[in-house]
Amino acid sequence: MEQVKEMKRRAQTGEKNIWHGFISFNKENSEKIDDPEKCIALIKQTFGQFFKDAGFNPDNMDLLCALHLDRPEHLHIHYVFWEKESKVKNQRAAGYKYRAKGKIPLDVIDKMTERLNAYTIDDDLARKRKKVIEELTRTSNEYDQAHLDDILRRWLKELADELPKDKPLWYGNKEIAEHRPKIDMVAEWLIDLDDKTREADHAFRKELREKEQALKGIMGNYYKQRLEIEKRQTEAVPNFVDHQGIRTIHTIERLEWDYRRRLGNIVLKKVREIQRETYRRNPRRKYKLHLKKFSLIRKAKGKDCKYCW
């Protein structure tokens, strides 16, 4: 309650914009928000990116939401948000001011609409993805170098030689960009090594395609057009997500990128294991050859051998 009072006090401080609106659910999807815990989960998963898309700093935003249960078959959430502090540099005077215009771009609202629709799609995408990660982790741990085929062993060795050894790198790092095609191939080969892993991967990709079709049906031509634009961008520009940032991708491409990232990090963990196991000779160090003296005593017919070392 004290936190709400403090937020209301900030709302009355300074000349600022206060935005408000509502999120409405139909009868089929009202059960997704029919209690406070579900409502809070939806807000946490969707509003952060909405604020970023709109040019706000999520850490500088106050957000109040109210779940209305008066119409059980048509539940809806009323929300209101504003900036905590002024962050726009004032060109006419020293200091900062609040955003002068309160208009939220239409494309930002469209993306939020898509995000909310994706949230309501009844699928097991997260569970199926988790299953793939678990199975691939098990497969990568069980199959040591001796059990890998020649091509896969060579690719892993090449990655171990090519990648920096002084710091752990992850799939999302820019330094990894040029190696991602090979990392993706290694992940696919590791998946095919095991029946359970392959079945889990197929189940996830099937769910992903069904989600894409569902979003197309809900969002109509708007979603289809943006999906085509983003696909052309990713095909025309290598490592598009590195240049533009994954935040610019809002369709199914974002989920596919995140999936490759998770699989790639499992491969990179295997690569780092190979790097640690590989002996690396320091070219700046002078090595001395040490020979240990030893003797071999052999007995023949109860007599000591006369040839000893």
Side-chain angles (χ1 to χ4, degrees):
M1 185 61 69
E2 291 299 323
Q3 184 179 5
V4 174
K5 289 182 179 180
E6 180 62 21
M7 292 172 67
K8 290 181 178 180
R9 184 194 64 78
R10 285 196 293 265
Q12 299 171 355
T13 303
E15 297 181 1
K16 64 179 66 176
N17 295 304
I18 297 180
W19 293 266
H20 63 88
F22 64 91
I23 303 171
S24 179
F25 284 73
N26 58 19
K27 178 180 178 181
E28 181 183 359
N29 291 311
S30 287
E31 63 179 17
K32 302 293 195 314
I33 58 165
D34 58 5
D35 61 53
E37 288 73 21
K38 293 180 181 178
C39 177
I40 291 172
L42 178 142
I43 296 300
K44 287 184 175 180
Q45 188 166 331
T46 56
F47 265 86
Q49 187 60 51
F50 168 71
F51 288 144
K52 292 178 182 179
D53 291 343
F56 294 113
N57 177 1
D59 296 330
N60 189 44
M61 302 302 294
D62 277 331
L63 171 65
L64 287 176
C65 299
L67 173 61
H68 289 227
L69 302 172
D70 53 329
R71 300 172 62 186
E73 294 184 356
H74 191 66
L75 301 185
H76 53 283
I77 302 171
H78 280 267
Y79 62 84
V80 57
F81 61 86
W82 58 88
E83 295 173 285
K84 295 179 182 178
E85 300 176 1
S86 55
K87 295 291 185 180
V88 180
K89 192 170 183 180
N90 195 333
Q91 301 296 334
R92 297 183 179 180
Y96 295 84
K97 63 178 182 178
Y98 289 98
R99 182 185 291 199
K101 296 182 179 180
K103 184 177 181 181
I104 302 294
L106 183 59
D107 68 318
V108 174
I109 297 175
D110 288 338
K111 291 171 184 175
M112 182 62 166
T113 303
E114 178 190 334
R115 197 173 298 115
L116 290 167
N117 279 314
Y119 186 89
T120 62
I121 293 176
D122 186 17
D123 62 63
D124 295 324
L125 198 62
R127 183 180 61 81
K128 287 186 167 99
R129 181 181 61 196
K130 181 180 178 182
K131 179 66 174 177
V132 179
I133 301 304
E134 291 175 349
E135 293 296 340
L136 184 59
T137 301
R138 176 188 58 79
T139 301
S140 64
N141 290 335
E142 290 181 357
Y143 283 82
D144 55 22
Q145 284 292 93
H147 291 85
L148 300 177
D149 60 48
D150 293 339
I151 296 178
L152 190 53
R153 189 184 298 111
R154 188 186 77 236
W155 283 345
L156 286 168
K157 183 62 170 62
E158 288 176 356
L159 285 170
D161 293 337
E162 295 168 1
L163 293 178
K165 304 172 181 61
D166 56 340
K167 62 177 180 179
L169 292 177
W170 303 99
Y171 191 89
N173 294 132
K174 291 183 178 180
E175 296 89 336
I176 296 294
E178 63 180 295
H179 304 283
R180 286 195 191 122
K182 186 180 293 184
I183 294 173
D184 293 340
M185 286 191 295
V186 171
E188 291 177 6
W189 278 62
L190 280 173
I191 287 173
D192 285 338
L193 285 177
D194 182 79
D195 291 340
K196 290 184 178 180
T197 309
R198 185 167 56 253
E199 290 174 2
D201 176 69
H202 287 171
F204 172 80
R205 294 182 184 277
K206 180 176 180 292
E207 189 75 29
L208 198 63
R209 296 279 75 82
E210 291 177 356
K211 186 183 182 98
E212 179 180 352
Q213 293 303 316
L215 278 174
K216 285 181 178 180
I218 295 172
M219 300 295 293
N221 290 331
Y222 159 78
Y223 182 81
K224 294 178 182 179
Q225 291 172 1
R226 188 145 56 80
L227 181 62
E228 289 302 318
I229 291 173
E230 291 182 1
K231 281 186 176 181
R232 288 198 298 269
Q233 287 175 328
T234 54
E235 291 172 357
V237 182
N239 300 308
F240 172 74
V241 290
D242 293 328
H243 298 287
Q244 301 296 329
I246 191 172
R247 290 187 301 275
T248 62
I249 296 181
H250 300 272
T251 60
I252 213 74
E253 293 288 329
R254 182 186 180 104
L255 295 175
E256 291 179 335
W257 157 259
D258 182 65
Y259 185 56
R260 292 198 303 272
R261 178 186 65 82
R262 292 169 187 263
L263 300 182
N265 283 336
I266 295 176
V267 172
L268 288 173
K269 182 179 178 181
K270 189 75 175 178
V271 170
R272 286 193 291 273
E273 291 176 0
I274 295 174
Q275 288 179 334
R276 286 194 295 268
E277 293 171 359
T278 303
Y279 175 78
R280 297 193 298 273
R281 188 180 182 89
N282 189 343
R284 298 181 180 179
R285 178 181 173 185
K286 294 183 178 180
Y287 293 87
K288 294 182 179 179
L289 181 63
H290 298 279
L291 295 177
K292 292 184 178 180
K293 294 181 179 180
F294 66 97
S295 62
L296 175 64
I297 300 176
R298 180 168 61 89
K299 291 185 178 182
K301 295 182 180 181
K303 297 182 179 180
D304 293 339
C305 175
K306 63 179 181 179
Y307 299 104
C308 300
W309 295 266

